[in-house]
Structure formats: structure tokens, C-alpha cells
Amino acid sequence: MIELRTLGVLDLRGPASADCRAVLAQPKRLGLLAYLTVATPRRFHRRDSLLATFWPDLDQDRARAALRRSLYFVRSALGADVIVGRGEEEVGMGDGALWCDATAFAAALDAGDDVGALALYQGELLDGFYVTGAAEFERWLERERVALRARAAGAAWTLADRAALAGDAGEAGRLGRRAVDLSPEDEGAIRRLVALLDQVGDRAGALRVYDDFSRRLAADLEVEPSAQTRAAVDAIRTRPGPAAPARTVEADPPASRDIVAILPFTVHGDTGLGYLADGMVDLLATELDGAGELRTVDPRALLGYLGRMEWRDNDPDLATATAAHFGAGRYLLGSITTAGHRVQATATMYAADGTAEGPASASAEREDELFSLVDDLARQLLAGGSAGGGGRLSRLAALTTGSLPALKAYLKGEADLRAGRYFDAMESLQRAVALDPSFGLAYYRLAAAAAGSAMPELAREVADAGYQHRERLSGHDRLLLDAQRAWLHGAVAEAEAHYGTITGTHPDDVEAWFLLGDLLFHSNPLRGRSAVEARAPFQRALELEPDHASSLVHLMRIAAIEGRLGDADILAARAIAASPSGDQALSLRALRAWLRHDTVEQEAVADELQRARAVTVAVAFSDVALYSNDFAGAAMLARHFIQAARSPAMRALCHLLLANLALAAGNRAGAWAELERAEALDHAHALETRGLFAALPFVTLPAGELERVRDALLAWDADAVAPSGFLVFAMHNALHPHLRRYLLALLEVRLGNLAAADGHAAALAALPVPPGSTLPEQLLGGATARIAWARGEPAAALAILEAEHSEAWFQLTVASPFHSQAFERFMRAELLRELGREEAAAGWYRGMAERSPYELVYRAPAAERLAGITRSRR
């Protein structure tokens, strides 16, 4: 019989004569098979209705031809009796030819078998599955998902109530929590669980459920539970209760779901294969250990323990006790059956309480194919989510590579990436694509790790490589890859549209919600919108995964932007707890130390940062400077870096950052002193920074000082600047002549010499553009807009700026005062305000100094303008 699994994991299996992989590789044809199998009520379907569901964009003849080809393909792959016809115009599923977990789930509920039904419901119907160009199918699928999820929740409540009546408090609580997990937005379900736990005597558990729900509502929606819910909980809180029982010392270590005990298999048939009873413990433990966060109990220790306990085949009580003894949250039981030379293996993963989580089966035609059998079994267990963390992407990875070593490397990289260990993740994911060069999902995650490691060029290269293998992914995951690639190449609007589509059709996709937030946080200031708009997507990601470290980090920054420094401190602590070994943990500790004004911790962190990666140092300084509201503290950090800097370029950068901090604090003399120190170490970058400071329209300078800066730029041979090997300064390699002309144009405007400014703009336009660089075009737009504004043509100046579009990767815009286009963004806000478009101007003002320490000099004037706009609206 053909077996179609659709709940939680999508898989198709059958006898050797069936080509199941061919069907799995064809999303629309697989979708047709699933629809005919699962759609309710069970019936034959008219061909016309199938055309409207799957091929709405084709004319009648082409759509009918596509349906005929699809039916022929499925029948050829799985057997002629899987899909049958009734007359000329109707098709449906053949009786007894295919078993499906979704239909078996519904049948079990109809028969009153709630236990069997819940064992079958392992997750969303067709989770992560997408069919291109079939909107009606997507609408049907969403309706069916909601209906099945509701029925599963109902079954869980029925069993929870039954366990409560039987006095089984632990089982009642477990089933009630599962019911709530299936309907997390239903406040009525929360009240029901609170009442259930209180009924079975778990008063503390009831209050914890309410407190967790209340905190989630406050964090995500800034609301509190309903009066009805609060009243029910107040009644429990105020009711006198018995004294808490004395705590007992547990003999066994606390169980972890990441630890699995592989127990001996039962062997049926050929006695010559009896060695596999214990042998499968060794083989499967070796294959599964290290898959993501998963660890397996040491086979020698486990078998030695079972020898003392007189193990009996598939003894559930001893299996549970053994798992508890080794701190394993799950255990695996299996069997080997032989018939002639054929070997059949089955295995089921169980939770510590004995609940089955997912079956797997594999076969080998000969004994010498046992290693392939074990590989297949391990892949199925990982695909089913029964072993290893990482959620939907990890399960999908197990279905999109045939290489178990590549899968294990992927899972290790996924675990590191989710914990914020980007460099470690890159190493594992590079190994995964080397082991399986067509592993599209591994390329996708490797690009994410490279971007997180501040390597945008590598990220783009990897994303392009993954694009070549996107057909191995579902439509949903192709959209994720397309969105990532678009963003990496600067097509922000396209990427945002893709993420909007994904979150609209898959509202539980943590990855898509986080990436949408990440895009808004980093790109909004370049589009006249505040990074604060990213709060909602990050909160949604956190609702789905409460320990999502990267979402916590960004929400911490948003809280700081909004002036909620106490909340920022709490979120930073949560992010550190969620990922204590992540790449951002040290920079988060730095920010926390400055938020708390903890001088002891500040000194300790500053010392540790002197030995950290350059990226970590940069993030730490940037976060402290932007989000702690403590310029003096950020300056102290920069001075620590000067002492430890191993190169003149690094020392020069520190002095330039100190100059920005001084000017942002209104200390122009201090800024000029720092520029002099920087110029002794790196003349080019110090002179460019001096020129930019002098060009700022809100910095008051005597004409003589402006002329001195202009004359220094005129005398400077920018073509003779040697390329820098220092990462930050390398961003300006080959661009110094362009920056020189741009700054000269801005300075001549301040001096009132518009004809000279025109000449420098023309010279800038004539310079050759380095391959792949968009900065010269942006500099030219900024210079010509500034000149037009000075001529009294604000509308023309604004039109020039509005025609510009930045495709720079956000890390460039954070690390360079020119790539950030801060001057142009501030000018755009000023022009909009002058033209009476105050609401649009406010968006550009708000986006200043939210992402880059180089923008801090604009913070005070932007805040002053915003305050003026607010007053004018009253």
C-alpha cells in the first residue's frame, strides 16, 4: 500500500515498484494527490472543478491537458489503482490503494479513538507546502488546516477532561497544554486550562499559565487579559490553599528532549541477525548524535545498564526508567524483521511519558545494505521532527538531501545559526554544501550565516548558487530563498513583498517573520521610515518562538530607540540567556553594562572586547553609542580600543568615532582635536570626515575654517591613496576621488560659490565608476540636489533625491558615513519640511541615528525639527 503522510511532515512511501520520490519532486501533482485524498467530504471530483483549483490561469484546453498529464504521471509512479475515474468527467481515490494520516486521523476521531487520532496529528496539514499559481488550492488548504487543528484540540481537551476525572493530574495537564498549543490565540482555551489545572490540584501551574499568557499579551500586543480571565485567576490566587509539600531530591538528572536513548531492537526471523539487537543501538546512536542539538546516550553505558536491569524486548516501563536514568527526554524502540535476504526495520520515537511521537521504517534487499538502511531510518526520524531541533526547516532539510552526513552538518549549522553563532554556522553549512552540492536549503542558510558575519559578498555568491537548486524546495521555501536573494542584491521592495506573501500564507513561519523584521529594521531609515516599524514582525516571531535570540536583540534596540531603557535592559538580559555563547552575547553584555551604569562590568567587558573579533567590537561600540544614551560611555569604550589596537588604521578609526561622538555632543573643539589625531594615522579618511563635518548645514563654522578645509581638499591627491586592507576603510577603496569632488561641491555651496560647486559636480560626473559600485551615482545626486536647493529650487532638489535608489547592503550603510547617505536623508527631510510636507519629513527625521554611529551628529537637529513639527500640528 502507498502511504502518504501530510500532518507535520510531508512524505510519500510505497513498495519498490512505486516511484514516490518522483511525485514528491512535483509540487502541483503532489498537491493534486493530497487534495483528492484529504478533501472532505470524501467523493469523486469533477475535472472542471480540479481545473479551477490547480490551473486557473490556463485556457480550457491547456488546463485539461495539464490535468491529464498529471493523472497519468501519478498513476505511472504509484500504480493505476491509486486514482480512478467514474465516467468521463470525474476522478477520485481508489479504495484501499493509499493510506493517509490525515484521513486516518479523521476516521479515528469519528470512531471515538481520540488517543489514536492525537498520535497521528504530528503537526499542520502539508506544513511548508506551496503550489505556484493555485490560489484556490491554497485557500482550501488553509481552511482544512484550521479544521484539522480544531479537531485535534478538541480531542486533546476530551482526553484531558477524562484524565482529570480519573485523578491523573500529570496527564490532564500535559493534554490540556497540548490543546492550548493547538489554539494559542484562544483566550477561552487559556481559561479552560487554568481551570483544569486548578481542578487537579496544580494551582501553581494554573497561575504560571496565566502569568505566561499575560506577559505574552503585554509584550506582543500591549494589552492585558480580559476581565473574565482576570476574575477567574484572582479567585484562584485569593483562595486559601494547603501548604506546599516538601521538595524531594530526585535521583535521576533532569530530562532533556535533546537527549535520546536508543534501546535494543527486537529481531524476528533469521537468528543470524541477532547481533542487530544491540548493533542497532550503536549504529543509530552514531548516526543521530550531533544532528543539530541532538545527543544520544552513550551505547556502552546504556547497554551495560540494561544488562544489570535484565532488559526484555520492548519493555515500555523499563524503557521509560532507562531514559530517566540517563536524563533522556525521549527514547527509541524498534524491530528488525527478515524474510529471505530482505531486512525490514521499523523504529518509533517516544516522549518520556510514553507518548509515540513518530514512526519510521526502512528496508534493505541484502544484509550488506544495512548501512543504507540505517541512514534511511535516521533521515526519516530527523524529517519527522522526532530527533533534532530546528523546526520546519530542519525537517524539510531531511527531505531535500540524500546525504546523511550533509544533513548532520546542516543541522549543526542550523543550531549554531539559531543561537547566533554565525561563524560556527558558516563552517558547518559550508561542509553541508560540499557534501551535497545540490542542497538548496543549506545554501540558503549559509547565505544567512555569511550575512550575519558581515560578509555580504560571500552571502550574495552563496544565495546565487542556491538559486540554481531552488527547484528542490517547496514553493514556500523558494519564496524564502528569492526574498533573501533580492534583499542581498538591494531589491528591498521586492524582498519585502515576498516576506509579506509568506507571512500572509504561512502565519506561523518564524523565519519569515524575523526576516521581515530584519529587513524593515535595517532598510526603513533609507526609505523615510523608522526602524521601530519592525517591532510587530519581531514580536510575532517571539510569540512563535519565545527564545528567538535575534528577535530579542532587535526588540532591545527598538526599545532603546523609543527611550524605554528599562525594557531594553530586560530584553538584553533575555537575549543573553537565550544565546549565552552567541556571537552577540559579548556586545549585549556591553550594552547592558552601560544601560545599568555598572562601571565594574564596563571595565570587564571592555577588556574582553580587546580580544574579540572585529565585528563583535564594532557591534558593541555601535550599540553602546546608539542605544545607551551615554556618549561619554561610548567614548570610554573607544579609548579602550585605541590602547589595544594593533594597527594604525584601527587607531585612526577609533579617533574618527570619538570625533563623531564629540560633535554629536556639541563639542566641536573636541571633534577637531580627534580629527587631528586621526589625520596623523590615516590622512585620507580623516580629511574626508573633516570635509563632511564642515559641510553639515547645522554646524556653525567661520568662513576661514570652511576655506581651510576646502583648500586642504583641493591640495589633496586623492588618486594617490593606496587601497586599504582594513575592512572599514576598504569600503572607500577607489572612491576617494569621488568623495573629494563631492565634498568640494558641498563646501563651495556653504561658501556661496555655486559656480565652483557646479564645476566640482561636473568633475564628479566625469570620473570613472569602479565596477559594481553605486556610491558615485548617489554622491552626484546629493551634490546636485544641494546645489539646486542653494539656488532656491527646493522642489527640483527633492526630485533629484527622490530619483535616487540605494542598493547598498545594510552593513555598508552602517559602517560608512557616505554609504549611509545620512547627509542626503537629512537634506530630504529639510526639503520636505520646507515644501510643507511635514508628515513625510517626520519619517525621514525619525530614521536618523537609528542604525549607525556615524549618524549621531544628526540626532539633535533631527529631534529639534521633529519637535517643531509636533508643535505645529497642535
Side-chain angles (χ1 to χ4, degrees):
M1 182 182 289
I2 304 295
E3 181 180 297
L4 174 61
R5 291 196 172 272
T6 61
L7 297 174
V9 60
L10 178 56
D11 200 10
L12 185 66
R13 295 192 171 272
S17 59
D19 191 358
C20 296
R21 284 192 174 276
V23 180
L24 284 169
Q26 297 283 329
K28 187 162 286 190
R29 290 163 178 175
L30 180 58
L32 174 63
L33 175 66
Y35 179 77
L36 293 174
T37 303
V38 177
T40 54
R42 308 284 181 261
R43 60 185 172 85
F44 280 81
H45 299 261
R46 290 192 57 79
R47 288 176 181 258
D48 287 347
S49 70
L50 295 175
L51 303 185
T53 300
F54 288 95
W55 294 277
D57 297 332
L58 298 183
D59 59 46
Q60 186 79 356
D61 291 341
R62 292 172 63 202
R64 281 186 167 270
L67 175 59
R68 284 196 302 273
R69 287 194 298 271
S70 295
L71 294 173
Y72 176 78
F73 175 86
V74 174
R75 287 166 173 156
S76 299
L78 303 182
D81 56 345
V82 170
I83 299 179
V84 297
R86 188 171 71 179
E88 292 294 326
E89 288 300 314
E90 293 185 322
V91 294
M93 300 303 296
D95 290 335
L98 181 144
W99 178 91
C100 175
D101 56 355
T103 56
F105 166 77
L109 288 176
D110 292 341
D113 181 10
D114 295 308
V115 174
L118 273 186
L120 286 166
Y121 192 84
Q122 296 295 311
E124 290 278 88
L125 175 68
L126 298 178
D127 187 23
F129 184 71
Y130 177 78
V131 174
T132 304
E136 184 56 38
F137 172 78
E138 289 297 316
R139 285 190 285 271
W140 166 81
L141 180 56
E142 187 56 35
R143 291 194 302 270
E144 203 69 22
R145 282 172 175 161
V146 171
L148 290 175
R149 191 188 313 126
R151 295 198 73 186
W157 281 124
T158 298
L159 293 173
D161 291 338
R162 192 180 303 165
L165 288 173
D168 189 344
E171 185 69 356
R174 184 186 71 79
L175 288 164
R177 286 183 172 87
R178 183 168 185 193
V180 167
D181 288 343
L182 290 165
S183 49
E185 307 304 324
D186 183 357
E187 188 166 341
I190 295 292
R191 286 197 299 273
R192 186 172 178 180
L193 177 57
V194 167
L196 178 75
L197 292 171
D198 183 44
Q199 174 191 337
V200 299
D202 187 4
R203 180 179 176 182
L207 296 176
R208 276 197 303 273
V209 167
Y210 172 79
D211 289 341
D212 290 345
F213 176 67
S214 179
R215 279 194 295 270
R216 179 157 58 87
L217 281 184
D220 296 347
L221 303 176
E222 298 183 357
V223 298
E224 60 181 12
S226 68
Q228 183 181 358
T229 304
R230 296 199 307 274
V233 171
D234 287 343
I236 296 173
R237 285 192 198 276
T238 57
R239 188 180 68 241
R247 298 188 62 179
T248 57
V249 177
E250 297 290 336
D252 295 327
S256 167
R257 279 186 54 82
D258 292 333
I259 301 176
V260 175
I262 313 294
L263 297 162
F265 274 45
T266 303
V267 179
H268 305 283
D270 185 358
T271 57
L273 292 179
Y275 69 90
L276 286 176
D278 292 352
M280 290 297 287
V281 177
D282 275 307
L283 292 170
L284 268 177
T286 300
E287 295 288 29
L288 293 175
D289 190 62
E293 301 289 346
L294 183 68
R295 295 294 178 268
T296 55
V297 175
D298 177 73
R300 290 179 62 184
L302 182 140
L303 292 172
Y305 174 81
L306 290 178
R308 297 191 298 274
M309 301 299 291
E310 299 181 358
W311 168 257
R312 297 174 299 280
D313 285 346
N314 290 332
D315 182 337
D317 293 334
L318 184 51
T320 302
T322 302
H325 176 77
F326 287 101
R330 290 175 288 173
Y331 61 87
L332 184 78
L333 290 174
S335 65
I336 298 285
T337 304
T338 61
H341 294 292
R342 183 178 176 81
V343 181
Q344 179 76 31
T346 60
T348 302
M349 191 73 73
Y350 293 87
D353 62 2
T355 304
E357 293 192 345
S361 63
S363 60
E365 297 300 325
R366 300 185 307 276
E367 184 180 350
D368 60 5
E369 296 177 355
L370 279 173
F371 287 108
S372 296
L373 177 150
V374 172
D375 279 2
D376 196 12
L377 210 59
R379 285 181 62 253
Q380 289 180 56
L381 290 165
L382 294 169
S386 300
R392 187 187 65 80
L393 286 179
S394 295
R395 296 195 296 275
L396 180 63
L399 296 173
T400 55
T401 179
S403 166
L404 184 59
L407 174 60
K408 289 184 69 175
Y410 170 89
L411 292 174
K412 173 66 168 62
E414 178 69 20
D416 286 331
L417 186 57
R418 289 161 63 82
R421 298 186 292 268
Y422 300 114
F423 290 95
D424 294 339
M426 283 181 59
E427 182 179 343
S428 296
L429 292 165
Q430 284 172 327
R431 188 163 66 254
V433 297
L435 290 164
D436 181 359
S438 62
F439 196 170
L441 202 60
Y443 285 106
Y444 166 66
R445 299 303 276 161
L446 176 55
S453 302
M455 298 180 179
E457 292 300 327
L458 175 60
R460 279 190 281 272
E461 178 184 328
V462 171
D464 291 345
Y467 191 79
Q468 306 304 313
H469 305 288
R470 65 196 296 275
E471 294 307 317
R472 294 184 67 177
L473 302 174
S474 69
H476 173 192
D477 294 287
R478 284 200 295 272
L479 268 179
L480 278 171
L481 191 149
D482 292 348
Q484 178 196 63
R485 186 167 178 259
W487 188 26
L488 287 168
H489 284 281
V492 176
E494 179 186 343
E496 184 177 4
H498 283 324
Y499 288 131
T501 299
I502 299 165
T503 54
T505 56
H506 297 82
D508 58 350
D509 189 329
V510 178
E511 178 79 4
W513 282 112
F514 166 70
L515 292 172
L516 174 60
D518 201 42
L519 179 146
L520 295 176
F521 184 84
H522 291 298
S523 300
N524 269 4
L526 295 174
R527 302 186 294 173
R529 295 157 57 184
S530 172
V532 169
E533 288 181 21
R535 185 202 297 110
F538 288 136
Q539 286 178 334
R540 177 60 177 156
L542 208 59
E543 176 183 323
L544 295 166
E545 188 178 315
D547 291 330
H548 196 282
S550 296
S551 292
L552 286 166
V553 170
H554 283 304
L555 285 170
M556 173 273 295
R557 290 168 175 156
I558 289 171
I561 289 170
E562 294 178 319
R564 298 182 288 112
L565 299 187
D567 290 345
D569 177 40
I570 293 169
L571 287 161
R574 286 181 61 189
I576 294 168
S579 180
S581 60
D583 291 346
Q584 296 197 67
L586 184 54
S587 56
L588 284 168
R589 282 178 52 208
L591 177 58
R592 243 193 133 207
W594 265 271
L595 285 170
R596 293 179 154 213
H597 307 291
D598 184 341
T599 56
V600 174
E601 179 67 0
Q602 288 172 5
E603 288 290 344
V605 169
D607 289 341
E608 288 185 55
L609 283 168
Q610 292 180 5
R611 300 182 294 276
R613 288 189 176 102
V615 171
T616 302
V617 172
V619 172
F621 174 82
S622 181
D623 280 357
V624 170
L626 285 168
Y627 307 126
S628 73
N629 204 24
D630 183 355
F631 286 175
M636 175 267 223
L637 200 55
R639 292 191 179 93
H640 265 78
F641 298 152
I642 292 174
Q643 295 169 11
R646 292 179 288 273
S647 70
M650 180 64 184
R651 291 196 295 277
L653 175 63
C654 291
H655 287 297
L656 293 178
L657 292 171
L658 285 166
N660 275 270
L661 290 171
L663 192 62
N667 180 8
R668 186 174 68 81
W672 254 244
E674 292 294 344
L675 288 175
E676 289 175 6
R677 297 182 185 104
E679 198 160 359
L681 296 162
D682 190 302
H683 176 74
H685 292 88
L687 180 56
E688 287 166 351
T689 302
R690 190 187 296 274
L692 183 58
F693 284 178
L696 295 174
F698 49 78
V699 173
T700 303
L701 284 176
E705 179 61 24
L706 289 172
E707 289 169 352
R708 279 193 292 275
V709 177
R710 177 200 59 187
D711 293 345
L713 283 165
L714 284 169
W716 176 40
D717 185 359
D719 291 304
V721 178
S724 175
F726 182 53
L727 180 64
V728 177
F729 290 168
M731 296 176 184
H732 296 167
N733 283 348
L735 294 172
H736 296 292
H738 305 79
L739 292 169
R740 173 176 173 268
R741 289 293 184 180
Y742 165 76
L743 292 169
L744 282 167
L746 298 184
L747 287 169
E748 293 292 8
V749 168
R750 285 211 73 182
L751 288 165
N753 302 325
L754 297 188
D758 281 332
H760 290 302
L764 172 58
L767 289 172
V769 177
S773 177
T774 59
L775 184 60
E777 182 180 354
Q778 292 156 14
L779 295 174
L780 179 60
T784 53
R786 183 70 183 93
I787 295 168
W789 188 18
R791 285 203 165 96
E793 302 169 1
L798 182 61
I800 294 169
L801 293 176
E802 288 177 339
E804 294 297 318
H805 170 66
S806 170
E807 294 189 351
W809 178 237
F810 79 86
Q811 285 157 340
L812 280 176
T813 66
V814 168
S816 162
F818 299 103
H819 280 291
S820 75
Q821 300 170 66
F823 186 93
E824 284 69 33
R825 287 157 47 207
F826 187 82
M827 176 168 40
R828 191 161 175 168
E830 298 279 78
L831 289 165
L832 286 164
R833 186 169 66 102
E834 184 174 322
L835 292 167
R837 294 167 58 185
E838 290 191 334
E839 185 173 350
W844 289 95
Y845 285 132
R846 286 193 193 96
M848 299 304 302
E850 290 185 340
R851 298 157 51 261
S852 170
Y854 292 111
E855 297 176 18
L856 287 169
V857 294
Y858 300 89
R859 177 176 283 178
E864 180 184 334
R865 308 299 198 273
L866 270 173
I869 290 173
T870 302
R871 284 193 299 272
S872 71
R873 290 177 176 175
R874 290 174 183 168

